[in-house]
Amino acid sequence: MGGSGSIDSEWKLTDAEGRALSGRWWRWALSAPGRRSPVGDTTGEHAGWKQPDDLWFLAGTYGGRVVRRCAVPAGRPLFFPVLNMQHNRFYAKTPQSMYVLKATAALNGVDLPLREYSAQFRTPWLTRRLTWGLWAGIGPLQPGEYVLEIKAKAHGGFWVDTTYHLEVTPARPAAEGKTGPDLD
C-alpha cells in the first residue's frame, strides 16, 4: 500500500457543498446505462464512467461485498457514499433516511470523517428526487497506491463491505500552447 502518497487529505466540505455534491453524485450514478453502471460494477471496470473534470466520484454499491480496482488521476478530490438512498418526491416530501447501526470509511487504515447530507436534485430526465446519505470526501492524493475500505450496516439487514484498491496516477500535463498538429 503505497507509500508515496500523503493520507492527511481530509476534504473539509461545507454543508452546502456536500448537499450539492450528493445531488451531482446521484445524477452521475443514474446517468450510466445498467451494463456500464459504476454502482453495479463489481470490479472497478466502470469507475471512470463520465467523471467530472473537477473531482472523482467513487460509486456505492447495491449492498454486500465488493472489491474494486481503479486508477484515479492525481489532483482531484474524491467524493463517495458510505450509505445513501434516493427517492421520488411523490414517495415522500422530505428525504427519507436509513437507521444506521455502523458506518466507517478508512484510507490505508486511517479513519475518515463521515458527514450526513440530505438534498434535492433533478435526474438527467429532470425528475425531482430527494437524497439522504453518509458521505466522505478525500482531498487530492499524491500518486501512489491506496486502499479505501467502506463498511456499513443499516437496520433491516442492509450492509456494505466495499474495498477500493486505488492507483493514483500522475495528472497528464496539458499541451503547452499547442492549438493544432505540429507542422514542422
Side-chain angles (χ1 to χ4, degrees):
M1 273 164 289
S4 66
S6 168
I7 299 180
D8 57 339
S9 297
E10 178 185 339
W11 186 17
K12 293 178 179 24
L13 296 166
T14 67
D15 286 342
E17 289 169 328
R19 286 190 301 270
L21 284 173
S22 70
R24 280 181 67 191
W25 184 94
W26 273 109
R27 282 190 301 279
W28 168 77
L30 293 171
S31 74
R35 70 187 185 286
R36 301 209 47 207
S37 169
V39 178
D41 178 8
T42 59
T43 65
E45 174 185 11
H46 302 300
W49 172 261
K50 293 191 177 182
Q51 288 287 351
D53 292 334
D54 60 335
L55 66 129
W56 193 270
F57 290 130
L58 295 175
T61 71
Y62 293 119
R65 174 92 177 113
V66 175
V67 176
R68 295 176 175 143
R69 296 181 182 283
C70 64
V72 175
R76 292 201 207 172
L78 307 174
F79 186 74
F80 58 93
V82 173
L83 280 175
N84 68 345
M85 60 186 290
Q86 54 91 26
H87 61 85
N88 191 302
R89 207 177 108 220
F90 298 111
Y91 173 77
K93 301 274 187 223
T94 59
Q96 301 300 292
S97 63
M98 295 180 187
Y99 181 73
V100 179
L101 301 173
K102 169 188 161 188
T104 63
L107 183 65
N108 285 4
V110 177
D111 286 338
L112 299 171
L114 306 182
R115 298 280 305 270
E116 182 176 5
Y117 300 116
S118 295
Q120 224 181 129
F121 73 99
R122 290 190 185 272
T123 67
W125 311 279
L126 301 180
T127 306
R128 187 174 292 165
R129 311 288 291 182
L130 299 171
T131 179
W132 168 90
L134 289 176
W135 301 84
I138 302 171
L141 295 169
Q142 296 297 316
E145 295 181 4
Y146 299 85
V147 176
L148 175 63
E149 296 175 287
I150 302 165
K151 298 178 187 304
K153 283 185 183 176
H155 188 270
F158 183 79
W159 61 277
V160 295
D161 183 355
T162 306
T163 301
Y164 269 99
H165 295 274
L166 302 172
E167 179 187 354
V168 178
T169 58
R172 291 184 187 161
E176 295 177 9
K178 291 193 176 190
T179 58
D182 289 334
L183 300 175
D184 295 340

